[in-house]
Amino acid sequence: MSSQSGKSAESIIKEARQHYAEKRFKPALEQFTRAMKICSCARGMKRDRCTCKNFEKVALDDESIFNEAMYNCKCSVGKTFNKCDKPLHIQALDYRAATFEALGELARAQRDAEWILELAPRLLEGYLRLGKVARLQKKYEFAWKVYNAGIEVGTKHGLAEDPKMQTLYKLRQPLHLRYKRVDPLENPLEIVQRIFHYLDFPSIVRCLAVCKSWRRYLSGRGNERFWRSLIFTRKYAHRHAPTVPTLRKLLSYSRNDARELVIDDVLRFRLTQPKLLAICQNAKNLERLSLGGAIRDPLQIPRVPPVLTKLTHIDLREVIAEKPELLEPLMCNASQHLQDIRVAGLPQVGTRTDLQIPHLPHLKYLRLEEYSRPYPLRLEIFQVAAKTPSLEQLWLSDVQLGTGGLQEDQLDTIWPSLKVVVINGSTDSDPETSENIRRLTSIRRGSSLQHVDFDFRWKYDEHGPLGLRLLADLLNHQSPSVAASGPDENNRYEDLRSLRLSRALIVPSKLQDVVEDAILAGKLHTLDLVFPLEPFGVPQGSSSVQHLREHSWLRGASSIRCLGIFDFRFRSFPQGDEDLPLPSFLASFPNLETLEINSSHYESPELLSVFKAILNVTKLKRLYQTALQGLALDHLRALTTELGVELICGERPREWPMQIEG
């Protein structure tokens, strides 16, 4: 540009700025445009801006804005004109963009700001102007990336002392706090590993798609532990089930050393025979296998050569009900390592079975759950006992029990390590099951049992579920296979730690026989008390008062830390402890911390008054209940908050497997 043309452009810009200051924007735009057109870079032709650049897309893809401005041009403009960093040309274009901003035409202002970047990508003016326009458009992350690009250019080309550089830093600062991202892989290795350690399996899988460097890192050597637990839950990220090649690849990331596989829904996972074979062949060290859901595709576990031989835990929910042929080979192949088996939904094959359980010398935990079916099979529990000598914990839910395989003296020899028995479901309608439950609680005279949990309705008699007579005796037709005295009338549960009876009623005198030794030894810490229904015609509350009086031997037991109180009904509008003795009874336990209390025999306002009376005289830490709702529950929550008691609307959780003492 000649000095004359330069002076002319300068004077035009000066005149245009005067129009701008006086808010005469139309003549200002005309003058700024004139100043741009007389620049020598146009070589006497009309110079248009480049139309093939897309700075927003480049920023979204985390690519270089500078490279987009400097090199990437495929239209005719890049072939016809060179870059231009002449100050007057850039100044005129910058002022014109500012004029469009003042007019509220932000799209046109953005085009001029991008034109500045196209003409002079090494100057900072374009980054400042485009960043400002992006902020006015509320594209804050784009503005932050534009400012970052400007700072990178200024640093690279020695502009650190330029005032515009300081302005870029200042404008970026509030956005930097929000949008700055640091690639975790740039941290020290031990920090990177700790970050990924907190992610679950679906999140780790999603991380594979972040970028190539993340995929290389996560699938590289040294990170096999990320892939040793493959958890395919309902939160799994992929829309479609993994294919066989994908499954093989995921297993290969652990160097074929996966230790845990969980598939919550085999139908959603689309478990097929090829996928099952891929698991068997590429997870030879698998220790935990959990499959849930029903599927009708044919599945078969290979027997030769044996696969999955190192399994220690098997959890099968619903699968076995449809595919009973899977259970036996799984148990046989891993018979020397299995410690834990859980089956929910037993196979409906035949009427009596021992589930074809092989000899499992190290099995400690067995949990079997049956669903409601018209003709459920009967489990020969004592045949199972003969094959699982080391069993410590047993959970049976709605399972009908058979007596097959029981020898006369077997109750004194089987399951020497059995410490936990959990049984729930209906029993009164099945005398054989009731009889066998009584036998289970009489194994070794009850001396090894630490935790007993019954959740079913049992007839109220002088012995109860821990008693020693058979239900057949109660029905006046004694079983010919068992002596009239029952399995054992001298059971002593001296090692008992917890006895949960949420629906099973035991006569207080018999309960005393059962738990007295454990209380005197300071071992029993959890106990449930179930109250009887009031007979017709007796005064209200008299049965519950009498039932509580018959538990006077239990008062003040220092070992008790958790109590469950169920189905009581005391007198309405009580006048004192004689009418409502429950609060003083509970207050007698010096170490009572947890209380579960429920009764369906009260209206909410009256039951709330019982809760208040209890809370006022006890030092509880935790209260479980399901009876109160609505306004009464709000009042109870306010009271427990004031007293520092944790209120939980629900039943006490049942831990499995349970922690064993000693």
Side-chain angles (χ1 to χ4, degrees):
M1 184 184 295
S2 66
S3 60
Q4 182 63 31
S5 63
K7 287 178 65 177
S8 178
E10 187 175 359
S11 62
I12 293 171
I13 292 173
K14 183 177 180 180
E15 181 181 347
R17 291 184 65 185
Q18 184 65 31
H19 289 308
Y20 179 88
E22 296 173 1
K23 297 187 178 181
R24 297 194 297 272
F25 298 126
K26 185 175 181 180
L29 287 174
E30 293 174 351
Q31 294 294 74
F32 287 137
T33 303
R34 273 187 63 198
M36 291 164 47
K37 288 182 177 180
I38 64 176
C39 181
S40 60
C41 68
R43 301 199 303 271
M45 295 182 289
K46 180 182 178 182
R47 177 164 188 168
D48 294 321
R49 72 181 190 90
C50 173
T51 58
C52 65
K53 299 185 186 299
N54 190 337
F55 292 104
E56 285 194 66
K57 183 178 183 304
V58 167
L60 182 64
D61 295 340
D62 288 327
E63 297 180 1
S64 172
I65 293 176
F66 174 79
N67 288 344
E68 178 75 1
M70 190 73 185
Y71 305 114
N72 300 335
C73 183
K74 300 176 183 178
C75 63
S76 59
V77 173
K79 299 176 182 179
T80 306
F81 301 101
N82 295 321
K83 301 294 183 185
C84 178
D85 58 0
K86 294 182 172 59
L88 293 177
H89 190 174
I90 301 302
Q91 192 178 86
L93 190 54
D94 191 25
Y95 285 142
R96 192 173 79 163
T99 306
F100 283 130
E101 288 177 16
L103 290 170
E105 298 184 31
L106 297 181
R108 298 180 73 179
Q110 179 179 350
R111 287 196 290 270
D112 277 359
E114 291 176 348
W115 199 353
I116 299 173
L117 275 182
E118 174 206 338
L119 291 172
R122 291 188 177 90
L123 299 183
L124 303 181
E125 283 83 348
Y127 302 98
L128 285 167
R129 181 58 60 188
L130 184 56
K132 181 180 179 183
V133 173
R135 284 166 50 220
L136 292 173
Q137 294 173 320
K138 298 184 179 181
K139 300 176 182 177
Y140 300 116
E141 187 171 6
F142 177 46
W144 174 72
K145 292 183 177 181
V146 170
Y147 290 144
N148 281 338
I151 291 172
E152 185 178 340
V153 168
T155 303
K156 185 176 181 179
H157 293 90
L159 303 177
E161 303 302 325
D162 192 321
K164 296 185 182 68
M165 190 75 163
Q166 305 308 314
T167 303
L168 280 171
Y169 277 115
K170 183 178 179 180
L171 293 172
R172 186 188 70 166
Q173 182 59 28
L175 301 173
H176 205 48
L177 296 174
R178 178 176 177 183
Y179 295 108
K180 181 182 179 182
R181 297 186 181 92
V182 177
D183 188 344
L185 298 186
E186 295 179 4
N187 290 295
L189 180 60
E190 59 271 17
I191 295 179
V192 174
Q193 292 179 341
R194 183 174 291 272
I195 290 172
F196 285 109
H197 173 75
Y198 288 110
L199 299 182
D200 58 12
F201 176 70
S203 300
I204 291 286
V205 172
R206 286 195 292 271
C207 287
L208 290 174
V210 170
C211 61
K212 292 180 180 178
S213 62
W214 280 39
R215 176 179 286 272
R216 282 195 300 269
Y217 172 77
L218 290 172
S219 61
R221 288 195 174 276
N223 292 319
E224 292 85 355
R225 66 185 180 283
F226 293 145
W227 308 100
R228 285 185 179 149
S229 292
L230 276 61
I231 315 294
F232 296 93
T233 65
R234 296 182 187 277
K235 298 186 296 181
Y236 187 60
H238 293 272
R239 288 182 57 193
H240 303 290
T243 62
V244 174
T246 300
L247 185 58
R248 290 183 183 276
K249 183 174 290 187
L250 291 174
L251 290 167
S252 72
Y253 292 156
S254 67
R255 303 300 180 262
N256 292 333
D257 192 27
R259 303 300 177 88
E260 180 180 19
L261 176 64
V262 177
I263 303 175
D264 263 5
D265 189 338
V266 292
L267 186 62
R268 184 171 180 265
F269 184 82
R270 298 179 189 173
L271 183 62
T272 59
Q273 185 64 26
K275 288 185 182 180
L276 185 59
L277 288 176
I279 294 169
C280 294
Q281 294 168 358
N282 296 278
K284 296 181 179 180
N285 294 325
L286 198 66
E287 296 174 352
R288 293 174 176 266
L289 176 64
S290 177
L291 303 177
I295 193 169
R296 299 188 181 278
D297 290 356
L299 297 175
Q300 187 175 4
I301 300 291
R303 291 179 179 268
V304 181
V307 296
L308 304 179
T309 58
K310 296 184 179 180
L311 284 176
T312 59
H313 296 72
I314 294 176
D315 183 0
L316 304 173
R317 286 156 285 116
E318 296 186 67
V319 177
I320 296 305
E322 298 290 340
K323 301 294 174 187
E325 64 273 14
L326 292 180
L327 181 59
E328 195 263 339
L330 278 175
M331 293 189 296
C332 287
N333 288 355
S335 60
Q336 297 304 309
H337 295 89
L338 270 177
Q339 299 178 21
D340 187 351
I341 295 178
R342 177 178 179 179
V343 177
L346 300 183
Q348 298 301 294
V349 179
T351 57
R352 292 177 177 267
T353 182
D354 63 356
L355 298 179
Q356 296 182 299
I357 292 179
H359 185 66
L360 303 176
H362 304 294
L363 189 71
K364 295 181 178 180
Y365 314 111
L366 179 61
R367 179 168 177 169
L368 304 176
E369 301 176 54
E370 180 59 283
Y371 300 128
S372 298
R373 297 181 183 276
Y375 302 100
L377 81 167
R378 190 175 294 277
L379 179 69
E380 299 293 1
I381 190 64
F382 296 104
Q383 292 181 14
V384 174
K387 300 175 182 179
T388 56
S390 301
L391 195 72
E392 296 180 0
Q393 303 191 32
L394 175 67
W395 180 309
L396 301 174
S397 179
D398 285 309
V399 178
Q400 294 194 17
L401 303 179
T403 317
L406 178 64
Q407 305 297 324
E408 289 187 6
D409 59 348
Q410 191 174 1
L411 292 181
D412 290 331
T413 59
I414 62 172
W415 282 336
S417 302
L418 186 65
K419 293 179 172 59
V420 177
V421 175
V422 180
I423 302 178
N424 56 61
S426 175
T427 61
D428 282 353
S429 61
D430 181 22
E432 187 175 358
T433 296
S434 303
E435 180 178 318
N436 285 309
I437 291 174
R438 293 180 188 272
R439 287 192 174 106
L440 286 176
T441 58
S442 297
I443 289 175
R444 295 180 174 271
R445 305 176 187 270
S447 60
S448 66
L449 290 177
Q450 291 188 8
H451 302 275
V452 176
D453 186 345
F454 288 120
D455 185 11
F456 47 72
R457 188 68 66 183
W458 196 286
K459 286 189 176 181
Y460 184 49
D461 63 73
E462 61 183 79
H463 294 286
L466 284 175
L468 309 173
R469 295 195 327 166
L470 306 182
L471 188 60
D473 295 339
L474 303 177
L475 301 177
N476 298 317
H477 50 86
Q478 184 168 322
S479 170
S481 62
V482 182
S485 60
D488 195 329
E489 292 189 351
N490 298 301
N491 286 2
R492 309 303 295 182
Y493 302 89
E494 63 266 13
D495 205 29
L496 200 62
R497 313 303 169 92
S498 70
L499 175 58
R500 294 188 62 173
L501 306 163
S502 57
R503 290 187 295 161
L505 182 61
I506 299 183
V507 175
S509 59
K510 182 58 191 178
L511 182 63
Q512 181 178 6
D513 292 340
V514 169
V515 302
E516 189 173 35
D517 289 347
I519 291 177
L520 292 175
K523 294 180 178 180
L524 187 73
H525 55 71
T526 299
L527 180 64
D528 287 356
L529 302 181
V530 182
F531 286 68
L533 291 174
E534 285 189 347
F536 181 75
V538 303
Q540 186 186 54
S542 59
S543 293
S544 291
V545 170
Q546 180 61 30
H547 190 68
L548 204 56
R549 284 175 181 167
E550 292 174 359
H551 284 90
S552 59
W553 53 268
L554 183 60
R555 278 179 170 269
S558 59
S559 65
I560 297 295
R561 300 194 302 271
C562 177
L563 280 175
I565 308 293
F566 304 100
D567 295 337
F568 55 88
R569 182 54 170 119
F570 296 99
R571 177 181 172 183
S572 299
F573 308 108
Q575 301 301 313
D577 283 354
E578 289 298 320
D579 296 334
L580 184 61
L582 184 58
S584 61
F585 176 79
L586 296 176
S588 71
F589 298 97
N591 298 314
L592 183 63
E593 298 177 350
T594 301
L595 177 66
E596 181 180 357
I597 182 167
N598 282 299
S599 177
S600 59
H601 307 311
Y602 282 84
E603 295 294 331
S604 291
E606 190 178 1
L607 184 58
L608 176 62
S609 67
V610 176
F611 276 102
K612 288 181 177 179
I614 293 171
L615 289 169
N616 286 333
V617 297
T618 58
K619 298 179 180 180
L620 296 177
K621 294 183 179 179
R622 203 169 296 105
L623 175 63
Y624 291 85
Q625 73 86 34
T626 58
L628 293 185
Q629 297 178 349
L631 186 61
L633 178 58
D634 293 339
H635 286 304
L636 179 61
R637 184 174 286 112
L639 179 60
T640 54
T641 301
E642 179 183 347
L643 297 175
V645 178
E646 181 184 4
L647 177 62
I648 302 171
C649 294
E651 299 179 351
R652 283 170 292 164
R654 283 176 162 80
E655 179 187 1
W656 183 262
M658 297 191 70
Q659 296 294 324
I660 299 299
E661 301 177 25

